[in-house]
């Protein structure tokens, strides 16, 4: 499965963005999916995950309530809605195909999309 993320940009603190990740070349609807991010000088970290059906999701504790992951299997697309953005949310955001829904380690991700830059100004 090939993944293409989009939707990043420059936004002021308190603003919102929606990231999209278009999948092609495979059976997107059968895989759990996730979002990760990597800030300058930091390791890549887990953001959110969603089951193949979209029925359940979970988030990094620090992001609960501000970010929402969703998917549309009819469009082979994964989303990340981000609200109340903070400067510390500035990072490159990556979508990823997970090997297992409960495995959110970047080291075991099945497939990465290219990242999309999110910059939050103060």
């Amino acid at each position: 499965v090939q993944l293409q993320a989009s939707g990043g940009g420059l936004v002021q603190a308190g603003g919102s963005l929606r990231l999209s990740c278009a999948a092609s070349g495979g059976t997107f609807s059968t895989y759990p999916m996730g979002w990760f991010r990597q800030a300058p000088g930091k390791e890549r970290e887990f953001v959110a995950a969603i089951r193949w059906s979209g029925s359940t999701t979970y988030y990094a504790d620090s992001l609960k309530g501000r970010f929402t992951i969703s998917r549309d299997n009819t469009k082979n697309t994964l989303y990340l809605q981000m609200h109340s953005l903070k400067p510390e949310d500035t990072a490159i955001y990556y979508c990823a195909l997970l090997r297992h829904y409960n495995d959110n380690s970047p080291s075991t991700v099945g497939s990465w999309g290219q990242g999309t830059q999110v910059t939050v100004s103060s």
Side-chain angles (χ1 to χ4, degrees), residues 4-86:
Q4 178 82 28
S6 62
L10 175 63
V11 63
Q12 289 189 330
S16 299
L17 277 177
R18 188 176 82 156
L19 307 183
S20 299
C21 175
S24 61
T27 52
F28 170 80
S29 62
T30 65
Y31 294 105
M33 298 293 295
W35 287 98
F36 294 75
R37 68 184 184 182
Q38 188 165 18
K42 295 187 177 181
E43 294 186 351
R44 195 167 298 189
E45 64 176 1
F46 169 76
V47 172
I50 187 167
R51 203 176 287 274
W52 66 270
S53 62
S55 60
T56 57
T57 60
Y58 67 100
Y59 301 86
D61 287 343
S62 62
L63 301 176
K64 287 180 181 177
R66 295 195 299 121
F67 288 16
T68 302
I69 188 172
S70 62
R71 66 192 296 164
D72 185 338
N73 286 342
T74 67
K75 296 181 179 179
N76 287 347
T77 304
L78 177 74
Y79 302 101
L80 184 69
Q81 179 69 56
M82 305 184 291
H83 294 295
S84 302
L85 284 163
K86 305 174 182 180

